[in-house]
Amino acid sequence: MASLLTHSLISVSNTRTQSCFIKQNKLGVFGFQYNNTGHVNLPKRRGTCLCAAAVDEQAPAFQFPDLSKDHTLKSLKFKLLSAVSGLNRGLAASEEDLQKADSAAKEIEDFGGPVDLSADLDKLQGRWKLIYSSAFSSRTLGGSRPGPPTGRLLPITLGQVFQRIDILSKDFDNIVELELGAPWPLQPVEVTATLAHKFEIIGSSTIKIIFEKTTVKTTGNLSQLPPLEIPQLPEQFRPTTNRGSGDFEVTYLDSDLRITRGDRGELRVFVVS
């Protein structure tokens, strides 16, 4: 009881004083009783000139949040988002744009420090929207790996790209919205391709994904059609590398932003969706 509530007295000449009770609340902050003039009511005690409270040594000390650090992080995030905006997720990025985006991402990575997914695994959970990929500057959907080109060779328009991560089932799905051109007078076909993977954590910040299957679902006017699972090539015809699996490092992660670096140097920026 003495550690939670202490009644102290102080000597104040020619002044009528009242009892002062100082009480520790749950945050470790002390509450005082104030008089009508806005001064603390301090009780009377001979030979004493301070008001103190016995505090439980087990109670954590209250610390005010570092507002300057929070402001710096917001500024760095704004700088990165500004650097990648208007680049059509990287498809329209020039060499100068790539350098600006990479520099802005490195500032956040350095500010945040090393990522430990064993402690922050729950932050991976959910649906993430890709807002930038340096790999798309190659003008193919596969980035630095082989992939269907965008442009005149194939009438493919890239829509939104998402990653859906379930930390309990270890599901890791890349979801890509596409518009496939068709000869006149047919309308373009809108589809959503889901590349299903399983994932595992390697070390403190590396994620390895293992490809399982690809499912294509028509949307728009043809949304009533059932999804189609794309069959894999027979084992003997599959390439020895790049079977849809790979690994990447999570270089920054919080509740609304994720930055990753691929095994071939691709920079990708995601925001929570």
Side-chain angles (χ1 to χ4, degrees):
M1 292 295 293
S3 64
L4 297 177
L5 188 62
T6 300
H7 181 198
S8 301
L9 300 177
I10 187 170
S11 175
V12 180
S13 62
N14 300 324
T15 303
R16 181 180 179 182
T17 60
Q18 300 176 358
S19 297
C20 172
F21 292 90
I22 303 176
K23 179 181 178 183
Q24 182 186 13
N25 65 18
K26 294 181 180 180
L27 295 177
V29 182
F30 296 98
F32 296 88
Q33 294 182 352
Y34 293 87
N35 58 27
N36 295 332
T37 64
H39 294 83
V40 177
N41 288 327
L42 299 178
K44 183 177 181 181
R45 181 177 178 181
R46 182 175 301 173
T48 305
C49 59
L50 57 85
C51 183
V55 182
D56 188 348
E57 294 181 356
Q58 302 299 323
F62 176 78
Q63 294 183 352
F64 289 97
D66 190 345
L67 299 180
S68 62
K69 184 176 180 179
D70 184 62
H71 177 74
T72 300
L73 179 57
K74 288 181 179 179
S75 298
L76 293 176
K77 286 183 177 181
F78 180 79
K79 182 178 180 180
L80 175 60
L81 297 179
S82 298
V84 303
S85 65
L87 300 181
N88 192 15
R89 284 141 305 159
L91 288 168
S94 64
E95 188 63 32
E96 182 180 359
D97 295 326
L98 294 174
Q99 293 177 2
K100 286 183 179 179
D102 190 78
S103 177
K106 284 181 178 178
E107 288 189 65
I108 295 182
E109 292 166 343
D110 292 341
F111 183 84
V115 173
D116 184 4
L117 293 179
S118 63
D120 294 330
L121 184 62
D122 59 316
K123 294 180 180 178
L124 281 177
Q125 177 71 32
R127 182 180 172 97
W128 296 84
K129 180 180 179 180
L130 177 71
I131 62 172
Y132 174 78
S133 172
S134 62
F136 285 166
S137 64
S138 65
R139 305 301 188 268
T140 77
L141 301 184
S144 58
R145 293 182 169 85
T150 60
R152 296 182 178 180
L153 296 180
L154 285 177
I156 298 177
T157 301
L158 177 66
Q160 301 295 338
V161 179
F162 301 91
Q163 283 185 347
R164 183 173 56 210
I165 304 174
D166 190 322
I167 62 174
L168 296 179
S169 63
K170 301 299 182 182
D171 288 331
F172 192 106
D173 298 336
N174 287 320
I175 303 170
V176 184
E177 298 176 355
L178 298 169
E179 184 182 273
L180 309 179
W184 187 86
L186 300 177
Q187 295 293 321
V189 178
E190 297 176 355
V191 302
T192 297
T194 301
L195 288 73
H197 302 75
K198 291 291 184 180
F199 81 92
E200 59 184 73
I201 305 297
I202 300 176
S204 61
S205 60
T206 299
I207 294 180
K208 180 179 180 179
I209 56 174
I210 301 94
F211 175 76
E212 290 194 324
K213 63 180 180 180
T214 299
T215 303
V216 176
K217 178 72 173 67
T218 54
T219 58
N221 296 331
L222 299 177
S223 59
Q224 70 276 11
L225 296 178
L228 174 65
E229 183 173 330
I230 306 299
Q232 296 190 45
L233 292 172
E235 184 71 27
Q236 61 270 26
F237 295 112
R238 298 181 193 176
T240 56
T241 60
N242 185 31
R243 299 186 179 182
S245 302
D247 56 77
F248 58 88
E249 183 182 4
V250 180
T251 56
Y252 181 82
L253 176 65
D254 63 20
S255 59
D256 54 31
L257 178 70
R258 177 163 56 95
I259 302 175
T260 67
R261 302 272 180 176
D263 52 5
R264 297 195 181 187
E266 307 96 329
L267 167 66
R268 293 184 174 91
V269 181
F270 297 85
V271 294
V272 72
S273 174

